RNA sequence: GGGAGCAUGGCUCAGUUGGUUAGAGCAUUCGGCUUACAUCCGAAAGGUCAUAGGUUCGAGUCCUAUUGUUCCCACCA
């Protein structure tokens, strides 16, 4: 066993330990009927690029839960994988092509797909490497990709089943179209941006020449496709116009003026131009009024043949030209400044155009209902709970899901069209001939599926569905899904209804939401700001454990967090702290075999330590069980740093350096026992440093990650003895406090006198050596009961009694009096607050007896403190 | 137009089901190279828990309103 270096150097261990874990197969479990399964499926990162800090947070939490459950003895599976991210990846590849001066059409579908697969090889692999750097204990033997054969098979199966049930249909609807990506989008894929624009007031002349009606619009170019003007039926300004027609300028088309409740008369002019093919509201209104629908846009966002003279112009160019033309014709009433929401594509951020198009849809009504029920009933819980409301809100107002995309990279829609008779066949595999006419010229649908269609199946498609595999049987449903709140609609909701529909079971019982990781100023990380943080750079600089620490300690579920270097530094320091504590223990274990804590004479410090350990492990396990990961991490930190290092190790030195052999044996046993427990409690959070240490220790176990999680029930506790140690600690703190306040140099030792309560007098001698060592005193002298306060001393009042430091030559009497006055004021405040509670009859009758009792005790203690302080002040004034 | 979150010492944040004197890290001040660690140790100072009401024996925690701030959803052209 090599020696431990003075400081923990992550670089020296991380890669090597990870390789070791992989070699030994520690991340892999086979279904085991004797164990309970614990399953997490990773939210598959998009292969578009490398992982960002948000992924690091997400995966750290999953790893913590997985490692915890694994140590608890569950049969665990954390299933990793990546997502082909149809549109996002395609956008990236097209960008790359453009730099080579190519378009995707230049390449053709097959060549393009080759590029995409190459992209997957590069970035998919890189993502896996990044996950490994973070210490993720994923089962790499079960690595999946949404375009794997197995998963593609699942996608086809689901498509065909839903089609056969009538839940997938093809139809012509108004959809959101991204002219840049040249594809349809689902409603979820449209984001809205506030944009400063104008409201153009246009005059539409009445066909009978009796004047004109003014319409207001934010998109003047759509007038090319207008097929009506609408007003509110109750709007008196226009009642006499309803039923008349206007002559649409430029197009010279005669279109009706109709009345419809949809029109708000306060807005604009109260008259709306109706463009059914390019506005969802107009579309609905057109259906009510049987209006013509004229599509004026090409797929690339330019004006088509229906736009007459404007054909071929971009929508924006057409807008300018049309406004100019209206002005020339004297038909431009006015232009107002107007700011409104514009829909943009969530991938390329260009304005989307609503248009009518033939697409594939999933009918949502019957799927949504059971998915709502399982959350309402609590079968699926969301942490924090408030996201359940967001979920209901979406699911209850859900619209049919447009799933076809005019893209190449993705799962091609399993529908074929007979070139001879036009018949459409939806099938699991390519049909060789048309079932209707027998023709052999069948052409597959050109479109691919929404990338989220395959992600929706992830919890079961990754486990082998539709085959009935052992994995699927054992690991499904999964336990917890850890994801950011921004994909609740895209993904979480769709997994829930898909799981219910195809597995007849929920996909997971808990959804743990993470917040967004923001930069140190609280800004969202973005490419344009260039404020993104690369987790790998952080790991290179501080180590993976430090990064994980910064992302977890004190963070609460679903809340955004700021990422600050200081916190990573704190994490690095913590790793170094446990490293050095372990180094200390290791140096002091001696040559004899380490005894069990059951076989040694435990002293008060040991009993205190074990009692604290028992409480801490119970609390930490409890926090983890409730997904309070930030709090669990905080407790691990505090317990190890303060309780174990700052107190117990320091106390143990007394016996290690000056104790008898038997005492050394006891101290070593408890140090070793507690250290191992500390490492285990810490391991899910900081796997590398804990494993590195573990392998330096004579534990007899080759890895910490498969060791047993500390079971609080098995740790002995000694409440009463622990209380005595607490009293001694209070004495030590008081002495240190006085010494610091009076600026007594550490080198100056002093004797300590105590007027102790009788019980305390009995046990304090046992603590004398600890007090001596920790407080810098030469010896502890117990004053006889009832003896007067010694002159020329400084004092402090503790639970165990009053202590005196005979340092009158060092003490400024006035300062000391001031200090005592301050303490007295504190005591008086405590007395009055507690007394007033006890004076309250309702409190006495309604509060639990235990609470009342505590208040009584607190009051008594405060009163005693006051008496002692007053006495002390009086004697000091006599000097 | 609906809905949600946040507001706690100088900064960044915790605070489980309401229960003694509201915690931590960083920063600050003071004292320390004490044979695990200066990536450290000891000590201190610093908070009317946004504001105003209410419920309760008891409120940072529950309710109502207000202010500020962030976000989500929504078809006012």
């Amino acid at each position: 066993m090599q020696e431990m270096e003075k400081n923990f150097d992550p670089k020296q261990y991380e890669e090597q330990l990870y390789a070791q874990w992989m070699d030994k197969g520690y991340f892999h479990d086979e279904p085991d009927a004797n164990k309970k399964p614990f399953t997490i499926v990773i939210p598959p990162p998009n292969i578009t690029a490398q992982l960002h800090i948000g992924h690091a947070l997400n995966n750290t939490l999953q790893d913590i839960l997985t490692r915890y459950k694994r140590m608890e003895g569950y049969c665990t599976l954390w299933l990793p994988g990546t997502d082909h991210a149809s549109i996002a990846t395609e956008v990236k590849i097209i960008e790359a092509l453009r730099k080579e001066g190519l378009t995707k059409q230049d390449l053709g579908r097959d060549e393009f797909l080759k590029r995409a697969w190459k992209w997957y090889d590069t970035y998919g692999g890189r993502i896996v490497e990044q996950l490994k750097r973070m210490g993720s204990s994923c089962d790499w033997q079960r690595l999946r990709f949404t375009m794997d054969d197995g998963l593609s098979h699942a996608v086809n199966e689901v498509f065909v089943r839903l089609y056969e049930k009538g839940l997938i249909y093809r139809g012509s609807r108004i959809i959101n179209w991204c002219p840049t990506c040249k594809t349809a989008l689902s409603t979820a894929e449209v984001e809205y941006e506030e944009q400063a624009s104008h409201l153009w007031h246009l005059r539409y002349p009445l066909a009978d020449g009796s004047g004109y009606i003014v319409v207001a619009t934010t998109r003047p170019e759509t007038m090319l496709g207008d097929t009506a003007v609408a007003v509110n039926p109750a709007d008196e300004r226009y009642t006499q116009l309803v039923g008349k027609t206007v002559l649409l300028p430029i197009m010279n088309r005669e279109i009706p003026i109709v009345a419809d409740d949809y029109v708000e008369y306060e807005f604009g002019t109260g008259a709306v131009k109706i463009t059914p093919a390019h506005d969802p509201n107009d579309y609905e209104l057109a259906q009510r009024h049987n209006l013509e629908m004229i599509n004026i846009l090409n797929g690339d966002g330019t004006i088509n043949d229906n736009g007459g003279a404007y054909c071929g112009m971009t929508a924006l160019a057409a807008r300018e030209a049309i406004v100019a033309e209206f002005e020339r014709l004297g038909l431009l009433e006015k232009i107002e400044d107007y700011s409104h929401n514009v829909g943009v594509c969530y991938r390329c951020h260009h304005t989307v155009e609503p248009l009518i198009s033939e697409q594939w849809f999933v009918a949502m009504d019957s799927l949504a209902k059971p998915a709502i029920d399982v959350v309402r009933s609590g079968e699926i819980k969301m942490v924090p709970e408030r996201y359940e409301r967001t979920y209901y809100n979406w699911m209850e107002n859900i619209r049919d899901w447009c799933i076809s995309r005019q893209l190449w990279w993705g799962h091609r829609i399993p529908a074929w069209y007979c070139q001879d008779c036009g018949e459409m066949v939806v099938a699991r595999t390519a049909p060789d001939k048309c079932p209707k006419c027998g023709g052999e010229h069948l052409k597959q649908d050109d479109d691919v599926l929404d990338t989220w269609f395959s992600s929706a199946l992830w919890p079961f498609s990754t486990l082998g569905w539709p085959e009935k595999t052992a994995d699927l049987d054992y690991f499904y449903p999964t336990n917890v899904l850890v994801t950011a709140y921004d994909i609740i609609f895209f993904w979480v909701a769709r997994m829930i209804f898909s799981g219910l529909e195809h597995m007849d079971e929920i996909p997971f019982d808990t959804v743990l939401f993470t917040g967004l990781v923001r930069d140190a100023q609280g800004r969202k990380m973005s490419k344009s700001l260039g404020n993104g943080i690369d987790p790998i750079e952080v790991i290179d600089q501080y180590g993976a454990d430090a990064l994980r620490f910064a992302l977890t300690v004190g963070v609460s579920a679903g809340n955004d967090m700021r990422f600050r270097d200081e916190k990573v530094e704190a994490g690095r320091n913590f790793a170094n702290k446990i490293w050095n504590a372990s180094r200390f223990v290791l140096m002091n274990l001696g040559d004899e075999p380490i005894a069990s804590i059951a076989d040694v004479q435990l002293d008060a410090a040991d009993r205190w330590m074990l009692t604290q350990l028992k409480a801490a492990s119970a609390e930490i396990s409890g926090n983890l069980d409730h997904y309070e990961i930030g709090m669990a991490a905080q407790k691990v930190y505090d317990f190890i740093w303060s309780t174990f290092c700052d107190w117990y190790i320091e106390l143990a030195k007394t016996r290690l350096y000056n104790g008898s052999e038997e005492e050394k044996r006891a101290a070593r046993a408890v140090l070793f026992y507690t250290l191992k427990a500390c490492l285990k409690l810490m391991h899910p959070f900081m796997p590398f440093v804990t494993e590195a240490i573990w392998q330096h220790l004579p534990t007899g176990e080759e890895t910490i990650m498969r060791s047993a999680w500390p079971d609080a029930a098995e740790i002995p506790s000694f409440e009463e003895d622990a209380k005595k140690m607490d009293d001694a600690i209070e004495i030590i703190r008081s002495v240190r406090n006085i010494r610091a306040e009076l600026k007594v140099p550490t080198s100056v030792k002093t004797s300590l006198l105590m007027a102790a309560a009788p019980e305390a007098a009995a046990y304090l001698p046992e603590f004398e050596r600890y007090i001596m060592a920790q407080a810098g005193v030469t010896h502890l002298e117990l004053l006889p009961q009832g003896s007067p306060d010694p002159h020329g001393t400084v004092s402090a009042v503790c639970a165990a009694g009053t202590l005196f430091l005979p340092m009158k030559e060092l003490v400024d009497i006035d300062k000391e009096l001031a200090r005592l006055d301050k303490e007295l004021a504190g005591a008086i405040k405590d007395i009055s607050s507690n007394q007033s509670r006890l004076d309250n009859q309702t409190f006495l009758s309604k509060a639990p007896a235990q609470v009342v009792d505590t208040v009584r005790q607190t009051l008594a203690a405060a009163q005693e403190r006051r008496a002692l302080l007053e006495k002390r002040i009086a004697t000091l004034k006599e000097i």
Side-chain angles (χ1 to χ4, degrees):
Chain A
M1 204 173 300
Q2 83 215 52
E3 192 139 310
M4 291 173 76
E5 312 74 29
K6 192 172 168 185
N7 288 313
F8 173 62
D9 176 15
K11 282 201 179 69
Q12 203 177 318
Y13 288 93
E14 290 181 355
E15 202 184 328
Q16 169 213 330
L17 288 175
Y18 199 90
Q20 203 182 101
W21 289 332
M22 294 264 288
D23 288 349
K24 300 272 187 178
Y26 292 151
F27 300 152
H28 180 80
D29 273 337
E30 283 296 325
D32 179 347
N34 299 315
K35 288 181 175 180
K36 280 205 272 184
F38 179 81
T39 316
I40 295 182
V41 287
I42 202 171
N46 288 348
I47 56 161
T48 39
Q50 45 208 5
L51 300 188
H52 53 69
I53 199 83
H55 291 111
L57 165 62
N58 203 328
N59 289 300
T60 296
L61 296 181
Q62 294 174 68
D63 196 44
I64 288 168
L65 292 170
T66 304
R67 286 180 184 271
Y68 166 56
K69 287 293 179 180
R70 188 183 287 121
M71 288 172 79
E72 273 208 319
Y74 284 75
C75 180
T76 56
L77 167 59
W78 180 15
L79 190 146
T82 48
D83 195 302
H84 68 288
S86 169
I87 184 168
T89 307
E90 189 149 329
V91 165
K92 292 270 183 184
I93 296 173
I94 289 170
E95 258 172 39
L97 285 176
R98 194 171 46 226
K99 285 179 188 151
E100 298 172 38
L102 292 170
T103 66
K104 72 178 205 182
Q105 281 74 23
D106 292 340
L107 242 58
R109 190 164 191 145
D110 288 347
E111 279 305 308
F112 184 86
L113 289 179
K114 275 186 198 161
R115 289 254 188 169
W117 278 104
K118 213 174 145 198
W119 189 280
Y120 163 68
D121 288 338
T122 309
Y123 286 96
R126 188 177 298 180
I127 287 166
V128 167
E129 287 316 306
Q130 288 178 310
L131 285 169
K132 290 178 177 174
R133 287 291 308 274
M134 294 169 195
S136 313
S137 63
C138 301
D139 185 350
W140 299 110
Q141 294 180 40
R142 290 188 172 97
L143 178 68
R144 298 288 185 270
F145 176 50
T146 46
M147 295 269 283
D148 282 348
D149 288 345
L151 277 73
S152 299
H153 178 47
V155 165
N156 275 358
E157 182 67 29
V158 164
F159 189 96
V160 174
R161 283 192 194 185
L162 290 178
Y163 178 76
E164 285 169 352
K165 277 182 90 170
L167 292 176
I168 280 183
Y169 64 90
R170 189 162 184 255
S172 205
R173 299 290 135 98
I174 189 152
I175 48 93
N176 294 291
W177 179 268
C178 175
T180 310
C181 301
K182 295 185 188 62
T183 178
L185 298 173
S186 68
T187 47
E189 288 170 309
V190 179
E191 291 175 355
Y192 290 88
E193 277 178 9
E194 179 97 358
Q195 281 181 13
S197 175
H198 304 286
L199 197 55
W200 286 270
H201 292 243
L202 307 178
R203 294 174 182 160
Y204 281 14
L206 294 165
D208 60 13
S210 62
Y212 49 78
I213 185 167
V214 181
V215 296
T217 180
T218 53
R219 293 189 297 159
E221 69 281 10
T222 60
M223 59 79 48
L224 298 172
D226 281 2
T227 56
V229 169
V231 297
N232 191 288
D235 192 339
E236 289 169 9
R237 290 173 294 178
Y238 299 118
T239 34
Q240 75 284 6
L241 295 180
V242 174
K244 291 193 172 184
T245 57
V246 299
L247 194 61
L248 186 64
I250 298 170
M251 303 310 286
N252 295 317
R253 181 160 65 233
E254 199 170 327
I255 58 175
I257 297 173
V258 299
D260 196 285
D261 284 331
Y262 152 70
V263 182
E264 307 269 338
Y265 39 86
E266 306 87 44
F267 189 87
T269 61
V272 191
K273 58 187 274 311
I274 299 299
T275 321
H278 299 289
D279 183 288
N281 298 309
D282 293 6
Y283 176 78
E284 281 171 26
L285 186 145
Q287 288 187 317
R288 288 195 291 273
H289 295 271
N290 265 323
L291 299 175
E292 201 188 340
M293 308 202 182
I294 302 173
N295 187 343
I296 59 157
L297 287 175
N298 291 313
D300 59 2
T302 57
I303 306 295
N304 66 17
D305 299 348
N306 293 329
Y310 301 92
C311 177
M313 288 177 130
T314 65
L316 208 61
R319 173 178 299 180
E320 284 173 25
I322 286 168
V323 170
E325 182 64 7
F326 266 80
E327 189 160 22
R328 197 183 66 80
L329 296 169
L331 295 175
L332 181 64
E333 173 105 353
K334 63 171 170 175
I335 304 174
E336 282 181 320
D337 282 340
Y338 186 66
S339 160
H340 67 141
N341 280 331
V342 176
V344 298
C345 171
Y346 80 140
R347 284 306 169 208
C348 71
H349 290 96
H350 288 93
T351 305
V352 298
E353 300 286 351
L355 52 80
I356 294 171
S357 163
E358 179 143 76
Q359 302 289 344
W360 290 90
F361 296 87
V362 175
M364 287 308 306
D365 283 348
S366 65
L367 292 171
K369 207 188 158 300
I372 292 169
D373 293 344
V374 291
V375 177
R376 282 224 191 278
S377 70
E379 237 190 297
I380 294 180
K381 283 194 190 55
M382 299 195 181
V383 182
E385 210 172 326
R386 62 173 182 271
Y387 287 107
E388 292 178 7
R389 292 187 68 146
T390 313
Y391 175 79
Y392 297 139
N393 193 29
W394 162 265
M395 288 299 267
E396 283 163 1
N397 298 297
I398 199 160
R399 289 192 258 162
D400 284 358
W401 175 16
C402 176
I403 49 170
S404 44
R405 298 290 178 273
Q406 288 63 52
L407 302 168
W408 286 347
W409 176 234
H411 300 98
R412 201 156 167 184
I413 289 174
W416 285 263
Y417 306 95
C418 175
Q419 301 300 93
D420 299 327
C421 72
E423 175 74 356
M424 179 178 80
V425 192
V426 169
R428 287 168 177 82
T429 51
D432 16 289
K433 61 182 181 197
C434 172
K436 193 173 168 198
C437 73
E440 291 179 359
H441 304 292
L442 288 148
K443 187 168 181 297
Q444 187 170 6
D445 196 312
D446 275 329
D447 293 349
V448 301
L449 288 163
D450 182 359
T451 200
W452 299 99
F453 191 90
S454 54
S455 340
L457 320 178
W458 187 251
F460 49 91
S461 64
T462 50
L463 293 170
W465 189 91
E467 313 311 326
K468 289 184 174 25
T469 62
D471 276 4
L472 186 64
D473 185 50
Y474 186 79
F475 290 113
Y476 191 93
T478 72
N479 293 82
V480 53
L481 178 83
V482 183
T483 189
Y485 61 72
D486 56 354
I487 53 173
I488 183 164
F489 308 134
F490 283 118
W491 195 43
V492 178
R494 286 162 181 171
M495 276 192 287
I496 294 176
F497 70 68
S498 300
L500 290 171
E501 170 70 18
H502 306 294
M503 290 295 297
D504 222 7
E505 247 184 312
I506 52 172
F508 32 72
D509 56 55
T510 305
V511 185
L512 175 60
F513 286 104
T514 65
L516 266 34
V517 183
R518 297 169 175 278
D519 72 3
Q521 281 91 49
R523 298 174 305 180
K524 221 167 163 171
M525 293 187 187
S526 71
K527 260 174 232 127
S528 50
L529 277 175
N531 60 345
I533 290 166
D534 178 0
I536 301 305
E537 276 176 27
V538 179
I539 291 172
D540 284 341
Q541 196 180 347
Y542 297 100
D545 292 328
L547 171 65
R548 294 166 63 113
F549 173 93
L551 291 170
T552 48
V553 172
V555 170
S556 61
N559 280 8
D560 291 357
M561 60 172 294
R562 297 185 195 204
F563 189 85
R564 314 171 79 226
D565 280 349
E566 292 91 322
K567 205 158 177 196
V568 192
E569 274 173 34
R572 178 204 54 188
N573 294 354
F574 184 41
N576 194 54
K577 186 69 184 176
I578 188 76
W579 176 264
N580 272 289
S582 308
R583 205 157 73 92
F584 171 81
V585 172
L586 195 57
M587 283 172 180
N588 287 283
L589 282 179
D591 304 323
E592 306 290 315
I594 306 148
S596 145
I597 55 164
D599 297 335
V600 294
Q601 185 62 45
L602 299 173
D603 90 341
D606 299 330
R607 291 169 177 225
W608 175 84
M609 183 67 254
L610 294 169
T611 306
Q612 302 285 333
L613 174 62
K614 185 191 184 80
S617 9
E619 285 179 30
I620 291 161
S621 303
N623 286 139
L624 287 172
D625 290 338
H626 293 100
Y627 302 102
E628 294 155 352
I629 295 174
M631 185 158 287
Q634 182 75 54
K635 279 180 186 160
V636 168
Y637 180 86
D638 289 341
F639 177 73
I640 291 179
W641 203 305
S642 310
T643 310
F644 181 60
C645 295
D646 288 347
W647 281 105
Y648 185 69
I649 287 186
E650 292 308 318
L651 293 170
K653 284 177 181 172
T654 298
R655 279 174 296 160
L656 289 176
Y657 298 160
N658 298 305
S660 65
E661 280 312 307
E662 180 53 34
E663 285 175 332
K664 285 182 187 167
R665 229 166 66 88
R668 285 168 182 161
V670 177
L671 275 171
F672 191 58
Y673 179 89
T674 309
L675 175 64
K676 284 194 295 181
C678 286
L679 289 167
K680 289 178 178 188
L681 292 171
M682 190 172 165
H683 179 258
F685 305 92
M686 302 178 101
F688 290 111
V689 68
T690 48
E691 180 73 282
I693 294 167
W694 191 263
Q695 297 188 6
H696 279 288
L697 296 178
T699 60
E701 293 175 86
E702 65 179 2
T703 180
I704 190 172
M705 66 168 285
R706 289 261 172 192
S707 70
W709 182 256
D711 180 358
E714 286 176 4
I715 301 169
S717 73
F718 313 87
E719 296 291 345
E720 272 185 39
D721 294 308
K723 179 77 181 51
K724 295 176 188 168
M725 187 73 230
D726 282 332
D727 286 349
I729 285 174
E730 193 193 1
I731 292 170
I732 293 164
R733 286 205 156 113
S734 299
V735 175
R736 286 174 178 172
N737 181 345
I738 293 173
R739 294 177 56 115
E741 263 188 38
L742 300 179
K743 314 236 188 307
V744 180
T746 336
S747 53
V748 176
K749 304 277 184 240
T750 171
S751 58
L752 172 65
L753 309 174
M754 276 209 73
E759 328 79 76
Y763 66 72
L764 275 178
E766 196 188 337
F767 295 90
E768 182 179 0
R769 56 179 177 173
Y770 290 138
I771 296 169
M772 283 167 57
Q774 301 305 313
V777 302
T778 52
H779 69 282
L780 170 67
E781 184 183 336
L782 290 178
L783 298 169
Q785 294 295 323
S787 53
D789 283 0
H791 275 266
T793 57
V794 210
S795 69
V797 179
C798 299
T802 308
L803 59 84
F804 306 92
L805 295 181
M807 295 195 293
K808 94 181 143 188
E809 68 279 11
L810 296 168
V811 176
D812 178 329
I813 302 284
D814 291 337
K815 256 193 185 170
E816 175 61 3
L817 278 171
R819 197 180 62 78
L820 290 172
D821 277 338
K822 205 165 145 194
E823 251 190 77
L824 183 63
I828 289 170
K829 189 179 149 211
D830 283 358
I831 290 168
S832 75
S833 78
N834 286 289
Q835 186 63 58
S836 67
R837 297 178 80 182
L838 289 171
D839 289 345
N840 185 335
Q841 283 308 316
T842 20
F843 172 68
L844 294 179
S845 56
K846 291 200 177 180
Q850 201 189 341
V851 173
V852 176
D853 204 42
T854 328
V855 173
R856 284 217 175 87
Q857 285 173 21
T858 314
L859 176 64
Q863 280 167 335
E864 202 176 323
R865 221 162 78 225
R866 177 177 66 177
L868 291 165
L869 286 165
E870 282 170 347
K871 202 165 127 199
R872 203 47 220 150
I873 289 167
T875 48
L876 210 57
K877 278 181 176 164
E878 284 167 18
I879 296 175

